[in-house]
Amino acid sequence: MKRPLPNYKIGDVVPVPADADMNLAQIQMQKRGLLARNANSSHRSIAGITAKRIMAGIHEDEHRRTDPFERAQTFLRRRGFVPVCAIEGRFRVGRHTFASRAEVIEFAQSKGFEG
C-alpha cells in the first residue's frame, strides 16, 4: 500500500531529493495555491465548490491521522477486529462491547497499539 504524503502547508520548508523535477514541484505548488484560493472564494462556482470539497477531505484525513480514537480504530481494523463501530452509544469491537472511547483505546493498547 502506498504511504500517504504528509499534509504540507503553504510556506513549509521541506528537503528536496536530488532526483526531483523542480518544474513538476513548481506546478504542484501552483496547483495547491490555486486550490486554497478557490476554496476561500465567496463565489459559488464549480471550481470553488470542488476546492472546498477537496480541502474538507484533506482536513478530515488530517483529523483521522491525529485523533487517538481514530488511530486506535484503524489499528484494530488492521489487526482483524470487524466491525469497529458505535451502536446506540456503545462501541463494538469484534465480539467485545465498550461503553466509552477510552475503553476502546485501552483495549487497543492491550493488543499493541502505541498512542
Side-chain angles (χ1 to χ4, degrees):
M1 187 167 90
K2 200 169 156 182
R3 197 177 83 200
L5 293 173
N7 189 17
Y8 296 117
K9 293 179 179 55
I10 295 173
D12 284 353
V13 177
V14 294
V16 178
D19 62 343
D21 182 9
M22 293 309 292
N23 290 331
L24 193 60
Q26 192 174 13
I27 290 168
Q28 186 65 27
M29 285 174 27
Q30 289 172 351
K31 279 185 179 180
R32 286 185 183 205
L34 183 64
L35 182 70
R37 190 167 48 246
N38 283 335
N40 290 332
S41 174
S42 62
H43 300 293
R44 297 273 304 161
S45 65
I46 295 296
I49 292 169
T50 304
K52 286 177 185 173
R53 287 181 183 162
I54 292 170
M55 294 297 279
I58 290 171
H59 292 308
E60 186 176 337
D61 290 344
E62 180 66 24
H63 172 71
R64 283 196 177 130
R65 271 198 302 270
T66 57
D67 184 32
F69 179 70
E70 293 287 341
R71 289 179 52 229
Q73 277 187 318
T74 303
F75 172 81
L76 290 170
R77 283 192 190 109
R78 288 182 180 159
R79 289 293 298 256
F81 289 94
V82 179
V84 178
C85 61
I87 300 172
E88 296 177 2
R90 300 185 63 79
F91 299 94
R92 300 265 318 160
V93 178
R95 61 190 173 128
H96 306 281
T97 305
F98 301 101
S100 68
R101 290 175 166 223
E103 290 178 13
V104 174
I105 293 172
E106 274 183 34
F107 179 71
Q109 288 172 342
S110 72
K111 299 297 179 187
F113 173 65
E114 298 171 0

